[in-house]
Amino acid sequence: MSIATTQTSAAGSEQHGARAHSDGGWGAATVPVQTRSERFSSTRHEDFAPVLGVEIDWKLTPVSRVKTLIDDELDGSAYDLADRGSSSGAAVEWIGMDDPRVGSAGTPEDRAAANAWSSTQKALSVTVSGDERIAVGLDRSGFGSAPRAAHTVITAKPNSQGHVVLRSSGPGVLAENVEIVVEDGARLTVVSLQEWDDYALHLASHFARVGRDASLTHIVVSLGGAIVRVNPSVHLSGEGANGDLYGLYFADAGQHLEQRVYLHHEAAHTVGRVNYKGALQGDGARTVWVGDVLIGRDATGTDSYEQNRNLVLSEGTRADSIPNLEIETGDILGAGHASATGRFDDEQLFYLQARGISEAEARRLVVIGFLNEIVQKVGDPELESYLAGRIVDELGAAS
Amino acid sequence: MSVLEVKDLHVSVETEQGTKQILKGVDLTVKQGEIHAIMGPNGSGKSTLAYSIAGHPKYHVESGSILLDGAEVLEMSVDERARAGIFLAMQYPVEIPGVRMTDFLRTAKTAIDGEAPAIRGWVKEVGEAMGALRMDKSFGERNVNEGFSGGEKKRHEILQLELLKPKFAVLDETDSGLDVDALKIVSEGVNRAHAATDLGVLLITHYTRILRYIKPDFVHVFVDGKVAEEGGPELAERLENEGYDRFLQPSGVA
Ligand SMILES: Nc1ncnc2c1ncn2[C@@H]1O[C@H](COP(=O)(O)OP(=O)(O)OP(=O)(O)O)[C@@H](O)[C@H]1O
Ligand SMILES: [Mg+2]
């Protein structure tokens, strides 16, 4: 039996979401056009048909503006890294694309990811091992504005504990793949922080495989950049694996921030939580969130919940929010999804103002309060307070 | 001596059926230190008066004025009114997810005073005020009103009243939904604020039971958007016994 549901709420003038309904179909009896797990994958660019912008996974993306990343040759050499994490105890090294670690977590499912894969010459490998918790900060700010590709493999050895921050800032036109392997019993947090300059273009695919009794906390934070699309695919492959997938995004005028999340419960007794929260402020601020959760045939005793919430702070914005839930086994603990896009609540504003707090300060409190739920998951107090400050900056910048 | 004056206030709201007149000429003067009770049937416009004084954007003032020590309150924004010394304890306090109560209280105090309170004294003051209202310390870590019971929300309103020290407080059915113990605790909070700062109080209520704890100087009966009768505390007793029937005659008879 396969149950699929899909639901959309859109804010702003257009009702694109209404069309999105037809992709997955309504009602318990409807089977989706294509099961998520059967999506085509390959590491070769030419294996994918040219992207027209009407495809299910591209139709909400401004494809014409990222054509370069999808089709052109990309510089795939090693790049400058501010902190190579050498002092932290993690092994950070450049490896060839023929290294067995490459491809251990996944294979591209779209043409841009395949282009990045076939363009990359050197992949960055980060390995966390041992008993001590190891924190690694990978600061990438020197990409420049020439189109380029990157590949990162993050491996947490059995029973290790790691916290890896992959931060991108400055100018950049980047297509990349990030592989994450969480081996049995390991606990790993990966934070992908996008703080690009205004003109940056970024298409990223993350592939994660989580082993037996292992746990991955994956957090996508997108603040800067013209077009930023980060698509995490996480496979809970080992029995008892845990996946917490969080996201936080703040789109201001003209920005396109997109995330297509895929959480695949492959093994029994896996627990998944997806929670993405976004704010939109300014003319043309645009966000897309798609959350596909697949509970496979063998994933008995699974517990899964996904949600996306958007807070609309001004006119002229648009948020698409599309959760899809496919269940292939009848024996699950629980599965659910929620999606909501709401305006700033005037009653909250009134309450705070009635206590003497200015409108600007009241908005700040409410927005930070809304996004804080995700900030608190980052697991690094310094980075958490930095992010809270960045959200304040974002609020001020656009108002 | 501070004074809050409501003069010939007409207020409407926009509804799906068009503009609806709610307040139809309200006159009311509250002096510093006075306690005024406003009683009246459901839908007579009591909350509308409260919200209009606080400046809720949903309510449109068609005519009239509200003066605080001679300054036109209607020209002030919501937060300016609060900083000028007007406080509204709401009938239905709003939940604010993600905003911790302690952060909220400190932000509000800073806004009202124009400077941050000295940290040590403030923490102590908040702790004592919460203790007096029998609010557990753990509330401070919770989000504003989120998951609070009805009674806890009301205590939180009075906590703010005691900490922010306004000149005038409008209490919109602060007594409703409280059990006897809570009613007593909340009333004591209002009385403390009244004694400490010579607070002027506009107490909106349906029931005389709160008037056993908070003694009004004046009672106003509110009917169909206006004050229909005024008197001393004895008027409340009469309303308790007779209800509002005698005010609800078909219009035009009076
Ligand atoms: N937004 C609105 N849309 C339509 N009608 C409204 C609106 N707000 C208030 N009213 C109406 O205005 C009238 C007065 O409402 P208000 O809340 O001021 O009454 P109240 O005296 O406080 O009543 P209660 O004792 O039940 O609290 C009511 O008839 C109410 O339905
Ligand atoms: Mg009312």
Side-chain angles (χ1 to χ4, degrees):
Chain A
M1 186 185 66
S2 178
I3 300 171
T5 62
T6 169
Q7 183 189 308
T8 297
S9 67
S13 51
E14 289 174 78
Q15 281 293 321
H16 200 293
R19 271 191 282 148
H21 283 149
S22 58
D23 301 328
W26 277 107
T30 322
V31 174
V33 178
Q34 180 200 38
T35 296
R36 186 61 169 83
S37 59
E38 286 163 8
R39 198 171 281 186
F40 177 75
S41 70
S42 166
T43 59
R44 287 151 48 101
H45 175 255
E46 61 271 26
D47 288 350
F48 290 87
V51 175
L52 303 173
V54 296
E55 299 80 0
I56 183 170
D57 55 337
W58 285 109
K59 61 183 198 170
L60 300 174
T61 314
V63 163
S64 63
R65 293 166 61 199
V66 290
K67 264 262 171 285
T68 298
L69 290 173
I70 299 174
D71 288 320
D72 292 358
E73 207 169 295
L74 307 171
D75 172 6
S77 59
Y79 51 86
D80 280 341
L81 210 52
D83 173 10
R84 298 206 38 189
S86 45
S87 58
S88 68
V92 180
E93 58 188 317
W94 290 100
I95 57 176
M97 289 299 281
D98 53 357
D99 189 284
R101 282 167 278 188
V102 172
S104 51
T107 310
E109 291 189 331
D110 68 49
R111 190 158 153 124
N115 195 31
W117 198 294
S118 33
S119 301
T120 303
Q121 288 143 19
K122 287 284 180 196
L124 183 69
S125 166
V126 178
T127 306
V128 172
S129 58
D131 305 327
E132 301 281 306
R133 180 180 187 272
I134 290 174
V136 187
L138 303 169
D139 213 333
R140 313 184 300 177
S141 55
F143 282 124
S145 44
R148 62 159 22 265
H151 195 112
T152 309
V153 184
I154 301 169
T155 311
K157 289 297 192 187
N159 302 313
S160 65
Q161 291 181 53
H163 189 280
V164 178
V165 179
L166 191 61
R167 175 171 180 259
S168 306
S169 61
V173 178
L174 174 69
E176 70 167 333
N177 292 294
V178 175
E179 296 190 74
I180 300 165
V181 180
V182 192
E183 297 187 359
D184 294 352
R187 310 179 65 79
L188 178 68
T189 297
V190 174
V191 182
S192 179
L193 172 54
Q194 285 67 241
E195 289 194 273
W196 297 108
D197 282 1
D198 289 350
Y199 299 101
L201 306 173
H202 184 200
L203 301 180
S205 293
H206 289 208
F207 308 95
R209 195 161 290 287
V210 186
R212 189 183 173 95
D213 295 326
S215 178
L216 171 67
T217 301
H218 183 270
I219 307 180
V220 178
V221 179
S222 293
L223 301 173
I227 299 173
V228 176
R229 177 173 133 131
V230 178
N231 298 348
S233 297
V234 174
H235 300 267
L236 302 178
S237 321
E239 202 171 322
N242 188 86
D244 290 323
L245 314 187
Y246 301 114
L248 184 169
Y249 46 95
F250 196 124
D252 24 68
Q255 238 184 342
H256 177 101
L257 302 178
E258 178 169 348
Q259 30 265 311
R260 292 172 174 269
V261 184
Y262 173 36
L263 176 62
H264 185 186
H265 291 266
E266 285 179 352
H269 305 295
T270 49
V271 178
R273 291 288 178 269
V274 179
N275 189 4
Y276 273 65
K277 287 185 141 186
L280 299 90
Q281 174 169 271
D283 209 26
R286 174 85 166 90
T287 65
V288 175
W289 178 85
V290 178
D292 293 338
V293 172
L294 170 62
I295 299 177
R297 233 182 329 275
D298 302 324
T300 54
T302 289
D303 180 3
S304 193
Y305 192 80
E306 65 162 344
Q307 72 166 347
N308 172 229
R309 305 217 179 276
N310 295 299
L311 183 58
V312 175
L313 299 171
S314 75
E315 301 295 320
T317 68
R318 178 174 150 188
D320 285 82
S321 179
I322 308 168
N324 296 298
L325 180 57
E326 271 183 77
I327 305 172
E328 295 179 337
T329 172
D331 176 21
I332 58 167
L333 266 185
H337 62 74
S339 155
T341 297
R343 303 211 150 259
F344 194 86
D345 185 341
D346 290 337
E347 293 303 324
Q348 293 179 359
L349 194 60
F350 173 73
Y351 188 83
L352 293 168
Q353 282 189 273
R355 300 306 180 237
I357 299 167
S358 70
E359 178 172 351
E361 175 91 14
R363 290 172 80 90
R364 246 176 59 175
L365 277 175
V366 171
V367 174
I368 290 172
F370 173 75
L371 296 175
N372 232 345
E373 189 186 352
I374 307 298
V375 173
Q376 286 163 359
K377 305 292 187 190
V378 166
D380 171 352
E382 211 172 299
L383 185 54
E384 287 175 12
S385 66
Y386 170 75
L387 289 175
R390 288 286 288 110
I391 293 166
V392 173
D393 296 345
E394 289 284 328
L395 262 172
S399 66
Chain B
M1 142 110 44
S2 272
V3 58
L4 179 68
E5 296 166 278
V6 178
K7 293 183 170 173
D8 196 25
L9 192 67
H10 288 73
V11 172
S12 66
V13 291
E14 291 308 319
T15 72
E16 276 162 23
Q17 294 80 34
T19 306
K20 181 176 177 186
Q21 297 298 322
I22 304 179
L23 300 188
K24 302 169 181 171
V26 178
D27 288 290
L28 206 61
T29 300
V30 182
K31 298 203 182 99
Q32 192 180 331
E34 289 179 354
I35 298 179
H36 293 244
I38 294 190
M39 306 185 73
N42 292 128
S44 56
K46 303 182 298 297
S47 290
T48 301
L49 173 64
Y51 277 126
S52 301
I53 293 172
H56 195 292
K58 197 172 81 180
Y59 300 93
H60 303 291
V61 176
E62 312 257 314
S63 63
S65 82
I66 302 174
L67 300 175
L68 176 60
D69 297 334
E72 183 53 81
V73 169
L74 295 174
E75 285 166 8
M76 301 178 195
S77 64
V78 176
D79 47 309
E80 282 168 350
R81 295 177 197 208
R83 292 198 295 271
I86 293 173
F87 181 90
L88 168 63
M90 297 190 204
Q91 185 172 2
Y92 303 108
V94 182
E95 300 192 0
I96 308 182
V99 179
R100 280 193 328 156
M101 190 171 124
T102 22
D103 295 336
F104 160 69
L105 291 174
R106 193 172 4 85
T107 307
K109 184 65 176 173
T110 305
I112 297 271
D113 288 3
E115 58 177 357
I119 193 81
R120 248 223 226 124
W122 174 245
V123 170
K124 185 160 171 270
E125 191 179 345
V126 173
E128 285 171 2
M130 287 177 73
L133 288 164
R134 311 277 197 285
M135 291 184 81
D136 194 87
K137 277 210 162 41
S138 62
F139 276 95
E141 297 303 310
R142 289 173 62 177
N143 294 329
V144 174
N145 295 326
E146 197 177 59
F148 287 23
S149 72
E152 287 162 355
K153 284 181 182 167
K154 297 298 176 73
R155 285 179 211 211
H156 183 215
E157 294 294 285
I158 300 308
L159 175 68
Q160 295 168 56
L161 170 67
E162 291 200 67
L163 293 171
L164 299 181
K165 305 188 184 356
K167 290 180 185 155
F168 292 95
V170 182
L171 310 179
D172 191 1
E173 298 203 21
T174 298
D175 54 336
S176 62
L178 296 181
D179 61 36
V180 187
D181 292 337
L183 180 68
K184 196 156 168 269
I185 290 164
V186 160
S187 302
E188 284 167 4
V190 175
N191 289 333
R192 273 196 303 275
H194 177 245
T197 58
D198 211 15
L199 179 72
V201 178
L202 205 56
L203 180 75
I204 296 172
T205 182
H206 279 289
Y207 308 104
T208 50
R209 58 174 198 158
I210 193 173
L211 303 181
R212 271 178 237 140
Y213 301 104
I214 303 174
K215 295 286 176 211
D217 303 302
F218 304 93
V219 174
H220 310 263
V221 183
F222 217 72
V223 179
D224 192 24
K226 299 205 265 265
V227 176
E229 191 166 327
E230 296 175 297
E234 74 289 345
L235 181 55
E237 294 303 325
R238 253 187 92 187
L239 289 171
E240 176 88 332
N241 299 329
E242 299 172 13
Y244 299 110
D245 280 356
R246 84 192 149 90
F247 298 105
L248 297 174
Q249 305 299 327
S251 55
V253 176

